Amino acid sequence: KRVIFSGIQPTGIPHLGNYLGALSSWSSLQQPGTTTFYSIVDLHAITMPQDPDILRQSKFDMAVSLLACGVDPKQSALFEQSRVAAHSELAWIFNCLTPVGWLGRMTQWKSKMDQKRGHVASHAEILADESLTTGLKMGLFDYPVLQAADILLYKATHVPVGQDQLQHLELARDTAKLFNKTFKKNVFPKPIAITPPESQRVMSLRQPTVKMSKSDPSEQSRINLSDTPEVIQSKIGRATTDSLVGVSYDKRERPGVSNLLTIYSAVRDISIEEAVKEFEGVESTKQFKEQVADAVIDRIVPIRNELSRLQGDPGYVRQVLDEGAEKAAEVAHKHMEEVYKVIGLK
Ligand code: TYM
């Protein structure tokens, strides 16, 4: 039996990278015979400083967005992570099993270090220089353990995520293996990632060598699901490309054009090759960009309309989240009982 779990940080309205990398598959995975759990991971969000009022609003906006993207509360449990206390409980138990070295290797943690240091720091350097970790919190270091707990708590077999989450998923698999081996019981299945192809990593419109991200200070770097058609035309119109003639796919030499081709093929559900073919003979970058923008608009407008409709119905959204938490907690509770027994706490 397939059990799906996935999570997203409450960053408000998701961007096109979130949508194409993960959310579009969340809705299509909802099928009879499959149990689906989708969580707004607010406990992960607080690993970085958050303003309480903004956090509350961002959680609501994310819930609305997930519903607008096709998460169906009749088929899935859609819930806030902090409402199901077992996430924290299982994370603590995993904390007591996970070697510290596993976490020091995680790229997300290391990249935060590198930002501080100004260059790529080795694990030894990080341990030797305390000033590197000052200001960063234990929770951030421990982030992947909580993520492993999210997934294993439901005994998820499949996890739809973007490429950037594969290392975290590997840690979840290792955690399942370690737990089962330590207690000589096959409690947790090893979860498998469902990932769109590498070519579907959506990059920043301004700097096409880094991923499209909510933490980029430039609004021009990303397309949000709430953007109007005019804003989408303008953002794509100003996207960084190059001065070569024609449209071709070459991530190394033409990262900007390749990113627009990636986006185009993803929103149209066609392959990169087919996308390149459609632009054969198109020489002006302007025309290319306009067509890409039109395709994005076609895909996003229905989501945007549903988004604004649901924003006017907070009572309904609240009810969906409450029921989702109840459904999730029921399964979580059953699995925690088993865990407590296996490790001797009960
Ligand atoms: P988060 O909130 O950063 O992103 C949510 C999903 O969007 C994908 N994604 C992208 N895909 C393609 N191109 C991009 N530019 C892009 N940016 C983001 C991410 O891969 C992700 O699938 N740690 C997770 C949240 C999490 C989680 C979990 C996920 C917590 N617990 C358990 C799965 C299972 C995160 O920060 O995703």
Side-chain angles (χ1 to χ4, degrees), residues 5-9 15 17-18 21-22 41 44 143 147 150-151 159-165 168 200-203 211-212:
F5 181 93
S6 199
I8 186 164
Q9 294 207 42
H15 54 72
N18 296 135
V41 293
H44 278 110
Y143 183 113
Q147 183 160 345
D150 296 339
I151 297 166
V159 183
V161 279
Q163 292 277 346
D164 61 326
Q165 295 299 314
H168 287 159
Q200 275 197 27
R201 258 183 92 201
V202 180
M203 309 309 261
K211 73 171 178 181
M212 185 178 285

Side-chain angles (χ1 to χ4, degrees), residues 79-133:
F79 67 103
E80 298 152 288
Q81 180 190 32
S82 60
R83 290 296 175 94
V84 181
H87 288 255
S88 305
E89 294 170 14
L90 188 58
W92 178 254
I93 289 168
F94 288 165
N95 273 335
C96 300
L97 287 174
T98 312
V100 172
W102 287 10
L103 297 175
R105 282 196 291 274
M106 294 282 122
T107 12
Q108 183 182 285
W109 171 253
K110 288 210 303 193
S111 72
K112 290 268 185 330
M113 289 306 146
D114 297 344
Q115 276 166 23
K116 286 206 150 192
R117 196 173 178 101
H119 76 259
V120 177
S122 72
H123 188 47
E125 260 182 303
I126 291 165
L127 291 180
D129 183 351
E130 208 184 303
S131 71
L132 275 181
T133 43

Side-chain angles (χ1 to χ4, degrees), residues 24 32 34-35 37 72 75 85 129-130 136 165 183 192 198 212 248 265 267 269 277 279 281 288 294 317 330 337:
S24 64
T34 303
T35 317
F37 297 93
D72 174 5
Q75 301 184 71
D129 183 351
E130 208 184 303
L136 296 179
Q165 295 299 314
F183 299 104
I192 298 164
E198 163 66 18
M212 185 178 285
S248 58
S265 69
V267 296
D269 280 322
K277 241 201 198 120
F279 291 109
F288 168 53
D294 284 341
V317 178
E330 202 179 304
E337 284 296 302

Side-chain angles (χ1 to χ4, degrees), residues 170-191:
E170 201 51 45
L171 189 114
R173 292 166 62 82
D174 289 343
T175 306
K177 211 161 93 185
L178 179 63
F179 185 98
N180 293 346
K181 193 171 143 235
T182 304
F183 299 104
K184 298 183 183 65
K185 283 238 162 64
N186 206 9
V187 177
F188 297 115
K190 279 202 277 166

